[in-house]
Amino acid sequence: MAHSWTKHQAPVNRLRASLPKIGIRPAIDGRYGGVRESLEDQVMGMARATAEFLTKNVRHACGQAVECVIADTCIGGVSEAARCAEKFARAGVGVSLTVTPCWCYGAETMDMDPLIPKAVWGFNGTERPGAVYLAAVLSGHAQKGLPAFGIYGHDVQDMGDTSIPADVQEKLIRFAQAGIAVATMRGASYLAIGGTSMGIAGSIVNNPFFEQSLGMRVESIDMTEVYRRIRDQIYDRQEFEIALEWVKANAKEGQDPNSPDRQLSPQQKDEAWEFSVKMALIARDLMNGNPRLAEMGYPEESEGHNALAAGFQGQRQWTDTFPNGDFLEAILCSSFDWNGIRQPYIMATENDSLNGATMLLGHLLTGTAQMFSDVRTFWSADAVKRVTGYSLVVPAAEGVLHLINSGASALDWTGQQCEDGKPVLKRFQDITPEEAAACVENTRWCPANLGYFRGGGYSSEFLTRGGMPVTMARLNLVSGLGATLQIAEGYTVDLPEEVGRKLMDRTDPTWPTTWFAPRLTGAGAFTDVYTVMNNWGANHGAISFGHIGADLITLASMLRIPVDMHNVEEEKVFRPAVWSRFGTSDIAGADFRACANFGPLYR
């Protein structure tokens, strides 16, 4: 049964800038006198068909369809290229795609903007040499240091065939979705609420990384700003009452892990709930502002920080005194709250900005809620057998990773959303009211472990359903090397209840648990599950629904961030064409060399 709060919110752009568009550049042979005239309709038709396809199949993370802008004329030379560039600049184009079925003048027609992700689709036909132009212009891009993706269909098409082959469709979508992610990040902010948490390197926020690799600014505020807003009631008080009533009606309390003599009183627990709800409202307002605050006489606070992602330090300076940030992190990262079903926010636990940035990449590619987890424990099959007597089965026959964290595990990760009878995570517009309610129903809110969180608060507790394809990823920073990305595709796993309980009770059973089995290849970092764990670069991982490793690889190459480990099939790897010039037998090494050669996108 659906509840009154499970209505869908309309897709809305939370950022101050307009959503980026995809620019379609129809390139043509510029020779008048019979050649150009014979191609005009075909070239412009190809551009229109591409724009229609992308508009139908690519969405912004906020849920709105991506808009395409087509050049006013075909581009046969530098003059028309300049007019196209001017139109794109006025229209807010952030991604460039050149399409053509024929020969064109490469250096005269190419896109020269160094900051916009770009690709060229050369039609595979025999009547006109679209493939020749594709090779020529990609060579020009390489020579000028402007990496571009090459798209070329596997099979020859007839000249009058206006369809887009399946292999071309896949590359168009992969390029466009990644390009939109790059363009969306540019100029937005990462908001650090607090500073370094317990010496965690990822929460030592690295401004040059965000600025040079992602095109984002870093906004930093002290956690005392949260307390000031609570003290002075700088939040929508009417919404607070609605949110608190929602919590009372829907947030089911779980077990209290503290000994009876240390447990907080019912009144103290109620006060912690009120404080936690206010924290959630304030953290959201800090990210994206709230016009209600201006009506209340707080115009500066109403603006927010134009944050696409944020992190809350919490431990220990905050949590030794005040309720923890687990509720604010979990509810913001979810696809729903007291206002209904809406786009998730990205809020990193412990202000781990690198995990927050990785969550952001996954969200921009999929539009779905992300999970922040400790990569806590590798359980081998032998260890599970010794502790529980149970023999693990496929896909976890060789062991599982225990993903668990007290903070930003979105409630979507209960796995209560379904498609064809299987658990999934959906974009918020596709979540049914019944599914949203089931996610909340299958979550318990346990009083905080006072050994960890002296100020109290509540931690979410649930068990992720098995059988979901997922991707775990992590950005890392290495002195002298810069940023790298690691990717592990795999599946969530169901364990028998009594087995899972024995394993969970050895850590903190009041936190959400996900059992993860990475897909093994038998080589390198994916030789076995232990090796995956042993090669993971930090204590945290960002988890996305679906096997999106290939999309992350494409996105990383646009940002010139090399991928140091992944288990994606080689045939799915799609990077700028010039990457091949850095080696074709060792594509992982070529990726590192290419990224080092071109440097961060916004350096």
Side-chain angles (χ1 to χ4, degrees):
M1 177 180 176
H3 300 264
S4 59
W5 59 268
T6 54
K7 61 184 181 298
H8 284 82
Q9 293 188 22
V12 60
N13 175 22
R14 295 172 179 154
L15 298 177
R16 294 295 179 259
S18 300
L19 293 171
K21 302 177 179 66
I22 299 174
I24 310 294
R25 307 175 73 257
I28 197 167
D29 190 324
R31 289 172 286 195
Y32 280 99
V35 177
R36 175 163 179 159
E37 294 91 336
S38 68
L39 293 166
E40 290 276 3
D41 290 343
Q42 183 184 1
V43 174
M44 192 57 77
M46 187 177 179
R48 293 192 183 103
T50 303
E52 181 181 4
F53 171 77
L54 292 176
T55 299
K56 287 181 178 178
N57 290 280
V58 181
R59 280 192 276 178
H60 293 283
C62 70
Q64 296 184 25
V66 169
E67 183 179 344
C68 291
V69 177
I70 303 175
D72 291 334
T73 67
C74 293
I75 302 169
V78 66
S79 178
E80 289 162 321
R83 287 198 290 271
C84 173
E86 182 184 14
K87 177 179 182 178
F88 284 5
R90 290 197 309 268
V93 165
V95 183
S96 167
L97 174 62
T98 300
V99 301
T100 189
C102 62
W103 167 254
C104 317
Y105 303 160
E108 294 185 26
T109 59
M110 65 189 290
D111 180 355
M112 295 285 286
D113 191 317
L115 301 182
I116 291 182
K118 49 185 61 63
V120 183
W121 173 24
F123 183 81
N124 185 0
T126 54
E127 290 81 2
R128 296 285 182 178
V132 179
Y133 169 71
L134 178 62
V137 77
L138 291 175
S139 173
H141 279 287
Q143 187 169 325
K144 295 176 184 296
L146 301 170
F149 291 78
I151 300 174
Y152 182 59
H154 185 273
D155 297 316
V156 172
Q157 293 179 258
D158 298 331
M159 184 172 65
D161 186 354
T162 59
S163 66
I164 303 177
D167 61 325
V168 173
Q169 290 184 18
E170 182 178 357
K171 288 182 176 179
L172 285 173
I173 292 174
R174 182 157 292 145
F175 164 76
Q177 196 70 66
I180 284 294
V182 170
T184 302
M185 288 187 286
R186 186 178 176 186
S189 304
Y190 175 86
L191 174 62
I193 306 175
T196 305
S197 174
M198 301 183 295
I200 294 172
S203 63
I204 304 172
V205 183
N206 188 289
N207 288 34
F209 162 70
F210 279 92
E211 293 164 2
Q212 297 176 18
S213 292
L214 305 184
M216 298 175 67
R217 69 170 68 218
V218 173
E219 291 280 284
S220 298
I221 60 171
D222 195 271
M223 290 182 292
T224 55
E225 173 63 9
V226 178
Y227 176 72
R228 181 182 77 91
R229 294 194 184 201
I230 291 175
R231 182 195 65 192
D232 297 346
Q233 296 187 306
I234 308 175
Y235 51 84
D236 186 336
R237 296 158 207 172
Q238 183 177 359
E239 184 183 359
F240 165 69
E241 296 297 335
I242 294 171
L244 187 61
E245 285 303 311
W246 181 89
V247 164
K248 291 178 179 178
N250 297 283
K252 296 186 176 182
E253 291 194 18
Q255 62 177 305
D256 190 329
N258 302 290
S259 59
D261 62 305
R262 292 198 65 193
Q263 292 179 7
L264 300 180
S265 69
Q267 180 182 346
Q268 288 173 312
K269 290 179 178 179
D270 288 344
E271 291 171 352
W273 264 126
E274 294 182 15
F275 202 95
S276 297
V277 171
K278 292 172 185 176
M279 288 172 64
L281 293 172
I282 290 167
R284 182 202 63 193
D285 293 349
L286 285 167
M287 288 183 70
N288 299 125
N290 187 342
R292 279 284 295 127
L293 302 185
E295 297 170 10
M296 295 165 55
Y298 297 99
E300 181 181 359
E301 289 85 347
S302 73
E303 289 293 332
H305 291 267
N306 197 36
L308 203 52
F312 182 72
Q313 175 196 331
Q315 299 187 77
R316 285 185 47 203
Q317 287 77 7
W318 179 271
T319 57
D320 278 1
T321 305
F322 302 115
N324 63 25
D326 290 6
F327 177 74
L328 85 83
E329 294 161 9
I331 201 66
L332 289 181
C333 286
S334 300
S335 299
F336 34 77
D337 59 21
W338 44 88
N339 290 319
I341 304 173
R342 45 92 177 131
Q343 180 190 3
Y345 293 84
I346 300 298
M347 176 64 72
T349 300
E350 294 157 350
N351 192 31
D352 184 345
S353 61
L354 294 178
N355 217 53
T358 315
M359 293 167 68
L360 176 59
L361 300 185
H363 176 61
L364 291 175
L365 289 172
T366 66
T368 57
Q370 304 295 294
M371 182 165 67
F372 182 113
S373 282
D374 278 355
V375 186
R376 180 63 66 96
T377 309
F378 162 62
W379 278 99
S380 68
D382 289 342
V384 172
K385 181 75 170 178
R386 177 180 62 82
V387 171
T388 69
Y390 176 72
S391 297
L392 293 172
V393 297
V394 174
E398 298 190 43
V400 292
L401 298 182
H402 190 183
L403 307 181
I404 179 172
N405 191 277
S406 68
S409 292
L411 275 56
D412 302 64
W413 285 90
T414 54
Q416 299 301 311
Q417 301 160 31
C418 292
E419 194 170 273
D420 299 327
K422 298 178 181 178
V424 298
L425 264 71
K426 299 178 180 179
R427 288 176 177 263
F428 79 92
Q429 313 99 302
D430 303 322
I431 299 172
T432 68
E434 293 77 13
E435 289 169 339
C439 290
V440 174
E441 177 70 23
N442 281 271
T443 302
R444 295 295 178 269
W445 296 94
C446 300
N449 185 326
L450 297 177
Y452 285 111
F453 305 117
R454 298 173 185 174
Y458 286 87
S459 298
S460 60
E461 186 268 320
F462 58 75
L463 178 63
T464 300
R465 290 178 65 188
M468 293 194 291
V470 299
T471 302
M472 184 169 73
R474 169 76 190 192
L475 284 162
N476 297 292
L477 287 178
V478 181
S479 177
L481 175 63
T484 67
L485 178 67
Q486 51 189 172
I487 300 165
E489 294 183 341
Y491 294 88
T492 61
V493 174
D494 285 322
L495 297 180
E497 183 178 358
E498 65 278 8
V499 173
R501 178 53 56 189
K502 284 185 179 180
L503 301 184
M504 287 188 289
D505 283 346
R506 294 171 68 100
T507 176
D508 195 319
T510 66
W511 294 349
T513 276
T514 303
W515 302 111
F516 172 59
R519 191 178 69 243
L520 302 178
T521 65
F526 294 91
T527 301
D528 51 40
V529 182
Y530 172 82
T531 310
V532 176
M533 176 80 171
N534 203 38
N535 280 278
W536 204 249
N539 53 311
H540 294 148
I543 296 86
S544 292
F545 174 77
H547 287 162
I548 65 165
D551 302 307
L552 284 168
I553 289 172
T554 295
L555 175 53
S557 68
M558 290 180 180
L559 299 169
R560 287 74 176 280
I561 297 174
V563 178
D564 60 78
M565 65 177 269
H566 72 82
N567 57 347
V568 177
E569 298 90 337
E570 186 170 328
E571 61 270 19
K572 291 185 178 180
V573 174
F574 185 40
R575 292 182 170 117
V578 69
W579 260 236
S580 296
R581 305 287 68 75
F582 293 88
T584 56
S585 60
D586 172 20
I587 63 172
D591 183 33
F592 273 84
R593 291 187 288 273
C595 290
N597 179 73
F598 293 111
L601 181 57
Y602 302 102
R603 63 178 177 178

